[in-house]
Amino acid sequence: MSTTPSLSAAATGSRQFSTFYVDGLYFGVEVLKVQELIRYQDMTRVPLAPGVIRGLINLRGQIVTAIDMRRRLDMHEPPADRLPMNVVVRTDDGAVSLLVDEIGDVVDVQQEQFEAAPETIRGRANDLVTGVYKMTGRLLLVLDVERAVSVERPGARAAA
Amino acid sequence: MHENEELVREFLIESCENLDRLDRDLVELEKDPGNRERLSSIFRTIHTIKGTCGFLGFTRLEAVTHIGENLLCRVRSLELRLDEEITTGLLAMVDAVRRILASIEQTGEEPDDDHTGLIAELTRLHALPATGTREPDAVGPPSPAPRDVVPARPPESAPASDAPLAADAVPTLSGGCGGADREGDHGPALRDSSLRVDVILLDKLMNLVGELVLARNQILQFTATQIDSSFIGATGRLNLVTSELQEGVMKTRMQPIGNVWSKFPRIVRDLATQCRKQVRIEMEGRETDLDKTIIEAIKDPLTHIVRNAIDHGIETPDDRLAAGKPADGLLRLRAFHEGGQINIEISDDGAGIDAAKVRAKAIQRGIVTAEQAATMTDHDAVSLVFIPGFSTAEQVTNVSGRGVGMDVVKTNIEKIGGQVDIQTAAGEGTTLRIKIPLTLAIIPALMVASGGERYAIPQVSLLELVRLEGEQARHGIERIQDALFYRLRGNLLPLAYLHRELGLTPAGQTEDLVNIVVLKADGRQFGLVVEEIHDTEEIVVKPLSKQLKGIAVFAGATIMGDGKVALILDVPGIAQRAGVVSGTKDHAPTAAQHAAGESGADTQTLLLFQVGDRERMAIPLHLVSRLEEFPSTSIERSGTREVVQYRNDILPIISLSKFFSGEQPAAPEMRQVIVFSESGQVVGLEVERILDIVSEQVVVRRRCHRPGVLGTAVIQQRVTDLLDVHAVLRAVEPDVLEVAGAA
């Protein structure tokens, strides 16, 4: 959230992203927005909540809402035997955990590799991806964290 | 005097801090005279000091700050430009104020310094012609001494219109300071003995203690499996220390209720003057501690109640004397702890609330019907003042009487888990009693389980636990269409299944065991059926993230002893969702029911049904033993009667449609039957449809001479006949009643 580091990073043209995979797609969140990466935790289900909310986890005394990124992106349900990982991100409303398939490395990207999100990205991802870094051999999708964690009001969903 | 000493101390701590800021602000403002925010801040500070010192009787301080305030006021209204000269004057005033405060801190009295020069200088500055216009007429003639001017003025009114103070008035002010406490010789150490701490830090500490409590709970659970005595001893100590630490940290968030009350003497005085009444205020239990968040929440409701008491409650001196009471009205504030809750009472010895007047007003406002009003107890009628849009003031004054207020008071207090009750006696006065919890951060809760998850139910909503086993569990729960009931000591208790409300599949529920948690919501009772009931625990309430805030059935979450998260149920939310309390709140009946729920009278629970094509009828639910559906094919005949085999007995069925209209409508596939039982005899009344169950105050509008009908009432805004079950049975089944009569 703090602007100073990203500004200085922008000055040098290089930024760091924490990366992860969701249903084969390669996503990145700016390192400064990531609080921590942890393996699967037991969750408490929240009845009546939107489906993308998988539950609540206890992160050292802090109660954190876990959002299933596959469901958030309208992707296939993961194989039942694979437990997701937690990418805990800082948001305006406190920490939120993004449940992802697999966690990747922290990568350095250069400004010249950046391109605005192509309009041909299909479905939900289109709303949540702000841009693409063209890495060697693959594309890194930049995830808009605030948008990813803003889930429609449960009341509205229940009425639907 | 002791109370005053505390007040003086608080005033000193606050003022010293404010003065430091004032210096900075003034200097900054001189550089940037257009900064209105800073100017307002300065104005507020001086105004606060002036207001408080007036109340505490520090006349010199008041004189100095008063003229300073007047000067600032002209600056604020842009009549004067804040130049170096004015700033110097204001800074000199700040210095004088600081000297006076220091003296008060050391000796408990104002110093004997002469401020005539300063006041004269400030007066001169204040009288300067307005910037730009330079007209000497910009200020009015001198006014009397500040002592006469200041207290008569309500605190809100801007002093802009005030004339400058004559400097010669000051020497007449005596050095003696009525309110100052001569024993308050605490020396300069005062400021060191208490310090201000950021609430955020306290909240953080509170959170950490919450974590510690959870960790302690976990260790205690683990200890139960251990045999090492030294380990058990150590955890015992840990347990003790944690509890004490929790208590200690809770205390840091506690503030005496006197902090809120301290502004009341002033309010009372101003209001009394405005209303031309004489009011004396008495306070008891000012030291009663409350959590800061609760203090904040009750500030406005309390102020409103106090205003109401003076405006509506206490009579004018003439009226009081005529009624044989002393001319001075008494307003009494009382606070005390009781059973983990705080009780606050605000009583006046005024005219009281006239129940008849309230009834009349409620009818006039369309809140209740005349019949409803007539059947209400006085207590219920008086409780109508809590309904939105209600005000008994004969005329709207600018103090109160706009019809908002008491309902807001009630809502605000209920929001923090409190209750309000009103007691009044005509001619003797009114007492409002408020009960509120000590703290909101750590609450006792009952842990239950449903659908494989644990949930916490705040103890404040809990009434009792009922466990049904075996036969009782299988047959104790009765059904009226989709609505389920349990007879709790003869009264029907509406039931909701927690797993159903939450959309969960029950995990291992047996037919032989039903756990009912009896809860209250909106003043009504209902039973929540859960699969398991665990212990009660102290839980730390944590808010839900914004993604989950819209779910009304949860009030928050907590972390359990085993480290897992459990959701806290919002009892009114659950009740609303389950429809066990009316969803569209019709305020009048709700309030009446609320009152009736306490007195146990007036409100009736009725079964509504349809007879024939369109007639709506109702009977009191407590007369009904069961509701049944029989397939037409199972109906047999015995003589002219229809009967059905029912629970190893023969149940005669009387068609109400036939009884009233003489003709039987075409028999549907399933026949709806209301079963009555009288002394072991059962009779079924067939109706066309079961409509609803309502709890309402029933007022019979029209007596009726139709046999079988007691009268007609309006229920749910529709005309409904009240069935006279006994008359029907007498007419159709005389033998049943004879037996009943004989028994």
Side-chain angles (χ1 to χ4, degrees):
Chain A
M1 298 311 295
S2 68
T3 48
T4 336
S6 56
L7 277 178
S8 63
T12 63
S14 130
R15 297 167 85 185
Q16 283 196 315
F17 278 88
S18 184
T19 65
F20 52 85
Y21 297 88
V22 181
D23 198 20
L25 290 179
Y26 185 51
F27 284 96
V29 172
E30 215 171 327
V31 149
L32 292 168
K33 286 196 179 170
V34 177
Q35 181 178 314
E36 59 193 294
L37 305 168
I38 45 173
R39 62 193 164 75
Y40 180 77
Q41 302 276 308
D42 262 350
M43 272 181 286
T44 300
R45 279 182 298 161
V46 184
L48 312 178
V52 294
I53 292 174
R54 281 281 290 269
L56 300 173
I57 57 176
N58 171 13
L59 188 66
R60 294 185 305 279
Q62 200 183 358
I63 294 176
V64 172
T65 307
I67 293 179
D68 187 318
M69 284 312 290
R70 277 188 181 246
R71 291 185 191 166
R72 186 73 186 90
L73 292 162
D74 287 337
M75 289 168 172
H76 306 287
E77 290 286 314
D81 58 333
R82 243 174 78 181
L83 292 176
M85 306 284 282
N86 291 281
V87 177
V88 182
V89 292
R90 298 189 182 93
T91 74
D92 292 346
D93 188 43
V96 176
S97 170
L98 306 179
L99 295 177
V100 304
D101 295 353
E102 210 178 305
I103 290 172
D105 295 331
V106 172
V107 296
D108 285 306
V109 294
Q110 302 301 318
Q111 191 54 44
E112 55 267 27
Q113 294 172 295
F114 185 78
E115 199 165 300
E119 278 169 23
T120 46
I121 296 182
R122 67 189 158 78
R124 269 293 163 69
N126 195 7
D127 297 338
L128 305 182
V129 172
T130 53
V132 176
Y133 281 98
K134 295 160 282 178
M135 317 279 289
T136 24
R138 58 189 168 184
L139 296 172
L140 177 67
L141 308 177
V142 181
L143 187 73
D144 184 329
V145 170
E146 289 298 335
R147 261 192 244 168
V149 300
S150 45
V151 174
E152 67 244 69
R153 289 260 162 231
R157 194 190 157 89
Chain B
M1 266 322 178
H2 175 76
E3 285 177 2
N4 241 341
E5 189 184 321
E6 287 244 347
L7 275 183
V8 170
R9 190 185 310 192
E10 262 171 40
F11 167 58
L12 285 175
I13 293 173
E14 198 181 312
S15 303
C16 286
E17 283 177 8
N18 285 343
L19 284 176
D20 289 345
R21 203 180 59 224
L22 208 56
D23 275 345
R24 277 199 312 276
D25 280 351
L26 274 172
V27 174
E28 287 293 325
L29 194 63
E30 194 182 4
K31 291 182 202 154
D32 175 18
N35 190 331
R36 293 199 63 82
E37 208 178 295
R38 235 178 247 283
L39 190 55
S40 298
S41 151
I42 295 169
F43 188 79
R44 267 199 307 276
T45 310
I46 292 294
H47 185 82
T48 310
I49 294 176
K50 191 199 80 177
T52 321
C53 70
F55 161 61
L56 291 172
F58 295 125
T59 44
R60 272 162 186 262
L61 190 54
E62 191 182 353
V64 171
T65 46
H66 180 71
I67 180 67
E69 188 190 358
N70 284 355
L71 178 57
L72 274 168
C73 193
R74 286 201 74 200
V75 175
R76 195 167 68 148
S77 58
L78 301 176
E79 285 173 57
L80 287 177
R81 196 182 147 78
L82 190 83
D83 53 14
E84 198 191 341
E85 197 182 13
I86 294 180
T87 310
T88 311
L90 286 172
L91 283 173
M93 174 200 70
V94 172
D95 289 341
V97 169
R98 188 172 283 131
R99 273 198 303 278
I100 298 173
L101 287 176
S103 163
I104 294 171
E105 185 177 338
Q106 272 158 25
T107 67
E109 284 175 47
E110 293 177 280
D112 292 322
D113 302 7
D114 188 2
H115 298 111
T116 325
L118 173 65
I119 289 175
E121 165 69 4
L122 288 173
T123 310
R124 187 187 65 79
L125 290 169
H126 177 243
L128 280 179
T131 322
T133 61
R134 295 284 161 199
E135 274 175 336
D137 287 354
V139 271
S143 78
R147 238 201 321 195
D148 299 332
V149 178
V150 179
R153 216 178 43 208
E156 296 87 357
S157 80
S161 56
D162 274 8
L165 298 155
D168 60 316
V170 177
T172 66
L173 300 172
S174 73
C177 18
D181 193 344
R182 277 156 211 279
E183 290 156 37
D185 190 7
H186 287 275
L190 184 65
R191 257 183 285 172
D192 300 332
S193 70
S194 78
L195 67 154
R196 296 204 155 198
V197 183
D198 196 341
V199 180
I200 296 174
L201 177 63
L202 287 183
D203 286 345
K204 205 169 165 188
L205 278 180
M206 190 74 205
N207 275 339
L208 286 172
V209 168
E211 301 316 323
L212 188 62
V213 168
L214 297 176
R216 187 263 324 256
N217 293 354
Q218 238 169 310
I219 287 177
L220 286 183
Q221 267 180 20
F222 177 66
T223 309
T225 65
Q226 299 297 305
I227 44 164
D228 186 334
S229 68
S230 62
F231 178 73
I232 293 171
T235 53
R237 272 197 307 284
L238 174 72
N239 184 10
L240 218 65
V241 173
T242 310
S243 300
E244 274 178 31
L245 182 65
Q246 180 186 344
E247 213 171 292
V249 172
M250 300 257 279
K251 270 196 191 137
T252 63
R253 295 170 50 91
M254 295 290 192
Q255 289 184 322
I257 193 161
N259 285 8
V260 183
W261 286 1
S262 58
K263 62 173 183 169
F264 287 157
R266 176 74 193 268
I267 291 176
V268 167
R269 189 178 158 189
D270 288 342
L271 267 178
T273 316
Q274 235 176 305
C275 306
R276 295 182 208 296
K277 290 174 182 175
Q278 293 173 20
V279 184
R280 195 157 48 90
I281 182 163
E282 260 180 29
M283 301 180 182
E284 191 185 312
R286 320 174 47 106
E287 67 290 340
T288 312
D289 282 331
L290 273 174
D291 193 282
K292 189 178 160 52
T293 44
I294 292 183
I295 292 255
E296 291 297 322
I298 60 167
K299 218 182 238 176
D300 291 345
L302 282 185
T303 312
H304 197 94
I305 294 171
V306 166
R307 281 169 167 268
N308 258 349
I310 297 167
D311 194 25
H312 302 316
I314 291 172
E315 317 92 322
T316 56
D318 293 347
D319 288 352
R320 290 182 63 88
L321 290 172
K325 292 196 250 187
D328 281 5
L330 176 64
L331 181 71
R332 208 154 163 275
L333 302 175
R334 187 163 166 251
F336 56 98
H337 287 256
E338 188 185 73
Q341 287 192 312
I342 304 277
N343 287 258
I344 304 171
E345 288 176 6
I346 302 107
S347 44
D348 64 62
D349 65 346
I353 299 175
D354 186 348
K357 241 185 201 173
V358 174
R359 283 197 180 95
K361 188 68 107 192
I363 295 166
Q364 184 199 328
R365 294 270 155 96
I367 294 169
V368 292
T369 62
E371 288 81 0
Q372 278 173 318
T375 53
M376 268 182 192
T377 63
D378 281 359
H379 182 245
D380 291 355
V382 170
S383 298
L384 290 173
V385 300
F386 289 119
I387 290 167
F390 192 94
S391 172
T392 49
E394 299 281 305
Q395 64 191 70
V396 172
T397 65
N398 59 359
V399 180
S400 51
R402 289 181 208 283
V404 290
M406 290 315 275
D407 62 309
V408 178
V409 166
K410 187 173 196 265
T411 324
N412 282 347
I413 285 169
E414 285 179 350
K415 221 182 263 170
I416 53 167
Q419 298 157 8
V420 203
D421 187 42
I422 191 165
Q423 297 284 345
T424 185
E428 286 168 34
T430 307
T431 300
L432 267 136
R433 200 165 284 129
I434 300 171
K435 274 182 195 254
I436 35 181
L438 270 179
T439 178
L440 301 175
I442 296 185
I443 59 165
L446 176 74
M447 300 307 301
V448 300
S450 211
E453 297 275 6
R454 278 173 304 177
Y455 297 95
I457 300 175
Q459 194 107 38
V460 287
S461 311
L462 185 64
L463 293 174
E464 61 182 297
L465 301 175
V466 178
R467 186 183 165 94
L468 306 180
E469 286 174 331
E471 184 66 16
Q472 242 189 332
R474 279 187 292 275
H475 300 296
I477 293 181
E478 299 173 74
R479 177 186 289 272
I480 301 175
Q481 282 196 315
D482 286 340
L484 296 165
F485 295 88
Y486 172 70
R487 283 193 223 189
L488 182 65
R489 290 184 289 276
N491 292 321
L492 284 184
L493 179 75
L495 294 182
Y497 280 79
L498 183 57
H499 69 84
R500 248 180 251 169
E501 300 313 325
L502 299 182
L504 301 170
T505 31
Q509 198 177 25
T510 61
E511 290 277 294
D512 293 341
L513 181 64
V514 178
N515 286 310
I516 304 173
V517 183
V518 184
L519 299 168
K520 59 168 186 275
D522 288 340
R524 299 182 55 189
Q525 295 186 9
F526 73 100
L528 189 64
V529 180
V530 299
E531 281 153 40
E532 290 166 46
I533 291 177
H534 301 296
D535 283 343
T536 52
E537 273 182 45
E538 297 268 298
I539 60 165
V540 182
V541 181
K542 308 218 167 197
L544 290 172
S545 67
K546 70 169 181 217
Q547 292 92 349
L548 302 173
K549 281 231 168 86
I551 307 177
V553 297
F554 301 123
T558 189
I559 297 174
M560 304 304 306
D562 60 3
K564 282 198 76 177
V565 178
L567 289 155
I568 303 167
L569 296 180
D570 184 85
V571 173
I574 289 265
Q576 194 98 172
R577 186 179 174 86
V580 284
V581 295
S582 112
T584 51
K585 255 204 235 165
D586 186 358
H587 283 281
T590 313
Q593 280 154 7
H594 182 76
E598 278 157 21
S599 59
D602 284 331
T603 311
Q604 279 195 12
T605 306
L606 296 167
L607 175 70
L608 295 182
F609 51 88
Q610 184 189 322
V611 173
D613 287 340
R614 32 201 303 222
E615 187 170 12
R616 271 164 72 92
M617 299 196 87
I619 42 166
L621 195 55
H622 66 86
L623 297 177
V624 177
S625 93
R626 289 179 77 85
L627 296 184
E628 295 286 353
E629 269 186 340
F630 298 111
S632 277
T633 48
S634 67
I635 310 279
E636 297 170 66
R637 292 195 86 84
S638 152
T640 55
R641 293 184 190 155
E642 288 189 313
V643 292
V644 67
Q645 295 176 31
Y646 179 65
R647 290 188 174 185
N648 306 324
D649 204 344
I650 293 171
L651 177 74
I653 292 178
I654 302 160
S655 163
L656 280 182
S657 173
K658 193 171 171 190
F659 178 85
F660 285 114
S661 63
E663 51 197 71
Q664 192 149 9
E669 222 164 89
M670 295 300 288
R671 317 262 296 254
Q672 307 291 336
V673 176
I674 306 171
V675 181
F676 295 88
S677 102
E678 287 255 8
S679 326
Q681 293 263 27
V682 286
V683 180
L685 293 187
E686 186 190 350
V687 298
E688 269 54 61
R689 255 174 55 183
I690 303 291
L691 296 171
D692 202 354
I693 290 166
V694 292
S695 276
E696 264 186 40
Q697 292 205 321
V698 176
V699 181
V700 178
R701 295 263 172 124
R702 219 164 50 86
R703 295 282 154 194
C704 180
H705 302 296
R706 205 147 56 110
V709 176
L710 280 172
T712 308
V714 173
I715 298 171
Q716 287 185 328
Q717 283 93 47
R718 292 187 56 184
V719 173
T720 307
D721 286 335
L722 300 175
L723 180 71
D724 184 346
V725 181
H726 293 281
V728 174
L729 295 188
R730 216 169 20 241
V732 184
E733 297 274 328
D735 46 327
V736 172
L737 223 73
E738 268 164 36
V739 177

